[in-house]
């Protein structure tokens, strides 16, 4: 059987592939199921006898030229442009793709298994696609469904997370054993029901607020914390819809709260130790000075009396400074994050920092253009305070350094935005990096030890993170990472 007798439009076939296509045509002809050889552009090159018969073609009839004509003749179950057609996905992935379709021919509904197998040259270029159809009898169909059920039970039913397959209308197509156990319903009472309504009946709270692909829901009895993730199935498959995964994260959240509490206790212990030390020293000094002054009032002259009083007043001043520090400790405790335009905020900060740098003869560079149309969920005043506090630390680190330089950058990184402040100051030793965010920890003689602690507290309450990297005598980088707000979720009246 020669290639010229098999493909209808021989001029469209590159001559160098004639031999390969001829062999493929012979392979197609030898198949017992209806099979068609297609070009990568979906032009029909060859059809075997079962395919011709299925399409109603006689031995001398010309082949249809395109897949559209095949569909029009009732041979192909996939209409033109159908996202369920396996051919485009097979060409895209380079792998065979199989889908199950339902088709109606002459008023009779039939189940069809459609397979598309791409054929590529050694350089990866596809030369053809073998398109095979198999009409499934009840026996074969039951075998296919049984195999699918076994595969599902071996995978999804073995997973502790709740898994639902749903249509785009949230109607449950299938669910695993963990899902049925959580709902307390048999399989027959779950299939075909609305997933949101099933979750409500199971006492899950927060279903009405579930709009996106990720959500946190709560169970009322017992009190559960559930993470929900929804994934859309491939549009190139025969069934389109969603895979919804519900994960019980109650224990994980408890561990997180425990870790937060332990961190709070460690910080509180650090604060108490600091306050005890800072109050104890001046308080003891005041007590000693006043005791000596009282016992020796008559024997001391006025100059000596005034000296003891001045010493006590200096220690009282130290206590006043401590109270001022503790006031700063709680000043930014409450933040009010809201959709904030990052571009204008960073432009304002850049102008403020640049003016201060110029006055101190520090070279300042910045690159914040990427923040132009970027929005974040932030407290504008608190974020400004954070950046200015970090800049102040960088300025102090410049003291005595040759060619001092500070740089402010803003970069978009997928769903996040990264704001970094870099300086070439004296840096911080590795053993101190783990301590810099502790409250009241400082390596400076005049420092309060609150700046970076407050910065971390405020950034965390905005849903972000802050980290520091440093190389002694070379550079220090402080990076703030905040989640971006998608365009559709920005507040229309917010300009901050």
């Amino acid at each position: 059987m020669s290639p010229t007798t098999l493909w209808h439009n021989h001029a469209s076939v590159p001559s160098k592939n004639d031999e390969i296509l001829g062999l493929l045509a012979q392979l197609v002809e030898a198949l017992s199921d209806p099979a068609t050889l297609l070009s990568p552009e979906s032009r029909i090159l060859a059809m075997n006898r079962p395919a011709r018969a299925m399409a109603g073609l006689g031995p001398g009839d010309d082949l249809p030229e395109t897949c559209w004509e095949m569909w029009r003749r009732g041979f192909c179950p996939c209409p033109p442009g159908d996202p369920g057609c396996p051919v485009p996905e097979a060409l895209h992935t380079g792998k065979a793709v199989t889908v199950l379709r339902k088709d109606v021919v002459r008023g009779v509904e039939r189940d069809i298994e459609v397979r598309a197998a791409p054929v590529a040259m050694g350089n990866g270029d596809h030369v053809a696609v073998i398109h095979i159809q198999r009409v499934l009898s009840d026996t074969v169909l039951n075998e296919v469904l049984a195999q699918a059920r076994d595969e599902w039970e071996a995978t999804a039913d073995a997973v502790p997370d709740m898994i639902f397959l749903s249509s785009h209308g949230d109607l449950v197509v299938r669910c695993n054993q963990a899902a049925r156990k959580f709902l307390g319903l048999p399989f027959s009472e779950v299939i075909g029901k609305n997933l949101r309504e099933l979750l409500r009946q199971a006492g899950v709270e927060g279903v009405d607020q579930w709009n996106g692909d990720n959500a946190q829901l709560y169970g009322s009895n017992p009190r559960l914390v559930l993470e929900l993730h929804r994934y859309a199935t491939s549009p190139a498959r025969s069934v389109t819809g969603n895979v919804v995964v519900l994960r019980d994260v109650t224990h994980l959240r408890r561990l997180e709260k425990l870790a937060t509490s332990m961190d709070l206790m460690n910080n509180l212990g650090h604060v108490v130790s600091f306050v005890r030390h800072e109050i104890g020293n001046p308080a003891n000094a005041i007590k000693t000075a006043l005791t000596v002054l009282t016992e020796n009032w008559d024997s001391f002259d006025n100059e000596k009396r005034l000296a003891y009083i001045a010493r006590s007043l200096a220690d009282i001043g130290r206590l006043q400074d401590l109270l001022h520090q503790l006031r700063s400790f709680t000043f930014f405790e409450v933040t009010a994050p809201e959709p904030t335009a990052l571009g204008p905020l960073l432009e304002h900060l850049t102008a403020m920092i640049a003016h201060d740098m110029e006055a101190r003869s520090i070279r300042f560079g910045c690159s914040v253009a990427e923040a132009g149309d970027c929005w974040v969920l932030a407290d504008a005043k608190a974020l400004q305070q954070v950046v200015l506090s970090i800049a102040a630390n960088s300025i102090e680190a410049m003291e005595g350094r040759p060619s001092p330089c500070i740089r402010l950058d803003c970069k978009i990184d997928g769903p996040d935005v990264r704001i970094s402040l870099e300086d070439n100051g004296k840096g911080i030793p590795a053993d101190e990096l783990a301590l810099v965010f502790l409250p009241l920890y400082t390596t400076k003689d005049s420092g309060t030890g609150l700046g970076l602690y407050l910065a971390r507290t405020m950034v965390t309450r905005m849903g972000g993170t802050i980290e520091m990297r440093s190389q002694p005598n070379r550079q220090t980088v402080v990076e703030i990472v905040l989640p971006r707000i998608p365009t559709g979720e920005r507040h229309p009246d917010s300009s901050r």
Side-chain angles (χ1 to χ4, degrees):
M1 186 177 298
S2 67
T4 55
T5 63
L6 285 171
W7 39 79
H8 178 67
N9 189 4
H10 182 265
S12 66
V13 181
S15 58
K16 64 179 181 180
N17 293 335
D18 279 1
E19 183 177 352
I20 295 174
L21 292 173
L23 293 174
L24 292 174
Q26 293 179 44
L27 172 63
V28 166
E29 184 64 32
L31 296 174
S32 58
D33 290 318
T36 304
L37 185 66
L38 302 174
S39 74
E41 298 78 28
S42 295
R43 298 179 67 84
I44 298 174
L45 304 178
M47 295 176 71
N48 66 359
R49 286 186 179 85
R52 285 172 174 269
M54 194 173 182
L57 295 174
D61 293 338
D62 290 337
L63 299 182
E65 192 160 324
T66 63
C67 286
W68 186 89
E69 291 186 35
M70 288 173 59
W71 174 77
R72 188 171 59 84
R73 288 173 174 267
F75 168 65
C76 181
C78 304
D82 187 349
C85 178
V87 173
E89 185 175 355
L91 289 170
H92 177 70
T93 62
K95 298 178 180 178
V97 176
T98 303
V99 297
L100 291 177
R101 301 293 302 229
K102 282 192 177 295
D103 194 20
V104 178
V105 177
R106 299 177 182 89
V108 179
E109 184 177 81
R110 58 185 184 179
D111 294 286
I112 299 178
E113 180 186 77
V114 184
R115 170 169 294 193
V119 180
M121 301 287 285
N123 60 4
D125 292 339
H126 291 103
V127 295
V129 178
I130 299 177
H131 183 278
I132 305 172
Q133 297 189 60
R134 183 166 60 134
V135 179
L136 303 179
S137 63
D138 289 342
T139 302
V140 174
L141 182 59
N142 289 336
E143 290 176 357
V144 172
L145 293 176
Q147 182 180 356
R149 184 170 59 251
D150 292 343
E151 291 175 353
W152 171 273
E153 292 175 353
T155 53
D157 278 353
V159 175
D161 298 333
M162 293 163 264
I163 302 177
F164 298 88
L165 268 66
S166 69
S167 66
H168 285 304
D170 287 331
L171 297 180
V172 178
V173 178
R174 193 166 185 84
C175 65
N176 68 345
Q177 187 174 358
R180 297 194 296 273
K181 182 178 179 181
F182 175 77
L183 297 175
L185 297 172
F187 184 79
S188 59
E189 294 184 26
V190 176
I191 303 307
K193 301 295 178 61
N194 184 278
L195 176 57
R196 294 173 185 266
E197 189 58 36
L198 288 171
L199 293 177
R200 291 191 193 96
Q201 292 175 4
V204 176
E205 301 174 7
V207 177
D208 294 333
Q209 287 73 45
W210 164 31
N211 294 316
D213 291 334
N214 301 287
Q216 184 159 291
L217 309 178
Y218 301 92
S220 57
N221 187 25
R223 189 67 181 174
L224 296 174
V225 182
L226 303 172
E227 270 188 0
L228 181 146
H229 302 282
R230 179 170 58 187
Y231 310 92
T233 59
S234 171
R237 297 297 182 184
S238 56
V239 178
T240 58
N242 298 298
V243 178
V244 178
V245 180
L246 271 175
R247 178 171 297 140
D248 184 353
V249 294
T250 309
H251 184 60
L252 177 62
R253 293 293 179 265
R254 286 174 181 164
L255 291 178
E256 289 176 352
K257 288 182 179 180
L258 179 60
T260 301
S261 299
M262 292 178 65
D263 185 53
L264 177 63
M265 292 303 296
N266 290 336
N267 288 342
L268 184 60
H270 187 81
V271 172
V272 169
S273 176
F274 174 87
V275 171
R276 183 174 63 241
H277 178 268
E278 292 300 311
I279 290 180
N281 286 347
N284 288 333
I286 293 170
K287 179 180 178 181
T288 300
L290 293 180
T291 299
V292 173
L293 184 59
T294 301
E295 292 176 352
N296 298 279
W297 181 265
D298 293 333
S299 60
F300 284 170
D301 56 23
N302 284 339
E303 183 178 353
K304 201 163 189 178
R305 291 171 184 167
L306 291 174
Y308 272 87
I309 292 173
R311 187 184 304 170
S312 297
L313 289 175
D315 287 323
I316 291 173
R318 289 177 60 188
L319 292 175
Q320 288 178 321
D321 289 340
L322 176 62
L323 292 176
H324 178 73
Q325 292 179 27
L326 294 177
R327 178 179 177 272
S328 299
F329 185 79
T330 58
F331 184 74
F332 285 104
E333 190 167 310
V334 178
T335 56
E338 61 181 354
T340 302
L342 190 58
L345 177 62
L346 288 184
E347 287 178 7
H348 177 65
L349 282 171
T350 298
M352 294 175 61
I353 297 173
H355 179 75
D356 197 13
M357 300 294 173
E358 184 178 359
R360 298 171 183 267
S361 300
I362 297 175
R363 187 160 54 92
F364 178 64
C366 68
S367 176
V368 296
E370 288 193 27
D373 192 36
C374 178
W375 286 56
V376 294
L377 190 66
D379 184 315
K381 291 182 179 179
L383 183 57
Q384 177 174 299
Q385 175 67 22
V386 168
V387 176
L388 290 178
S389 176
I390 296 170
N393 286 345
S394 296
I395 290 172
E396 291 186 20
M398 294 290 105
E399 186 176 353
R401 301 290 296 175
S403 303
C405 177
I406 294 177
R407 182 170 185 82
L408 175 66
D409 289 311
C410 178
K411 299 290 184 184
I412 304 299
D413 183 14
D416 300 320
V417 58
R418 296 179 178 271
I419 305 168
S420 62
L421 204 69
E422 178 182 349
D423 66 64
N424 62 346
K426 60 184 178 181
I428 300 174
D431 58 343
E432 294 183 10
L433 272 178
L435 306 175
V436 294
F437 289 105
L438 286 176
L440 305 175
Y441 176 83
T442 182
T443 58
K444 298 179 288 189
D445 294 336
S446 59
T448 64
L450 292 174
L452 288 175
Y453 170 77
L454 290 174
R456 186 182 67 172
T457 301
M458 289 186 280
V459 170
T460 300
R461 285 175 179 164
M462 294 181 227
T465 60
I466 181 170
E467 294 181 354
M468 177 183 289
R469 306 184 299 273
S470 187
Q471 297 178 5
N473 296 316
R474 292 191 62 183
Q475 68 165 185
T476 297
V477 179
V478 180
E479 185 175 65
I480 302 166
V481 180
L482 294 172
R484 296 167 60 199
I485 298 179
T487 303
E489 298 179 17
R490 299 173 182 174
H491 195 290
D493 299 326
S494 179
S495 59
R496 288 178 293 175

